[in-house]
Each structure stands twice: as structure tokens, then as C-alpha cells.
């Protein structure tokens, strides 16, 4: 974010680019428009997320329907957010 790597210790299923696959492992360099978010799945090797969404891949903030209140995974961090 803002040219800084984001630490993501929760991502354990890293994908390996392959010429035989769709090569869904690629760097994401973009500028997110105001009042939008860019969404990535935590199962990067198998997530249909903002990298592949039609149009521009950004979600308008006014289309976010809810807010997470409780975490159930990983078990060591179960509880209120």
C-alpha cells in the first residue's frame, strides 16, 4: 500500500506462477479511486477477487453491505474484532 509491502502472515497458500496455469500470481500495481476499495482473497491461489472482476476491479464503498464483528479463524484469534 502506497509503495510499501503489506505483511500478510495469514496467507499460507502462496501460488507459484506456471506457464501451464492461468498465472494468477502476479504483482498488483494500481491506484485505487476515491471512495472505492480493492479486494484480495486470502486464498490467493484460488480466489476470484478484484484482480479478475469485470470492469475495473474496484468495489465502490457504498456497495459494502456489512461489517465484520467476529473472527472465527484462526482458532488462536477467535473473538470480537
Amino acid at each position: 500500500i502506497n509503495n510499501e509491502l503489506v505483511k500478510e502472515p495469514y496467507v499460507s497458500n502462496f501460488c507459484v506462477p506456471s506457464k501451464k496455469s492461468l498465472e494468477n500470481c502476479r504483482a498488483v500495481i494500481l491506484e485505487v479511486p476515491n471512495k472505492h476499495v480493492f479486494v484480495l482473497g486470502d486464498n490467493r491461489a484460488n480466489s476470484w477477487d478484484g484482480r479478475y472482476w469485470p470492469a475495473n476491479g474496484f468495489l465502490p464503498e457504498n456497495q459494502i453491505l456489512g461489517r465484520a464483528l467476529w473472527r472465527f479463524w484462526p482458532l488462536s484469534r477467535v473473538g470480537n474484532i
Side-chain angles (χ1 to χ4, degrees):
I1 298 175
N2 298 328
N3 295 318
E4 297 290 329
L5 291 177
V6 176
K7 292 180 182 171
E8 299 176 291
Y10 47 84
V11 177
S12 60
N13 188 12
F14 293 99
C15 49
V16 178
S18 166
K19 292 181 180 178
K20 296 177 184 176
S21 72
L22 295 176
E23 295 198 30
N24 59 347
C25 302
R26 60 178 188 221
V28 178
I29 300 171
L30 46 80
E31 186 172 327
V32 180
N34 287 336
K35 299 192 184 260
H36 287 74
V37 296
F38 181 70
V39 179
L40 289 172
D42 59 356
N43 181 3
R44 301 291 161 74
N46 193 28
S47 289
W48 191 73
D49 53 30
R51 296 172 294 170
Y52 307 105
W53 293 347
N56 62 15
F58 302 112
L59 177 66
E61 287 179 348
N62 65 3
Q63 291 186 13
I64 297 174
L65 302 177
R67 180 182 187 111
L69 300 174
W70 199 77
R71 175 179 25 234
F72 66 92
W73 195 260
L75 293 175
S76 63
R77 297 179 65 196
V78 168
N80 293 331
I81 295 178

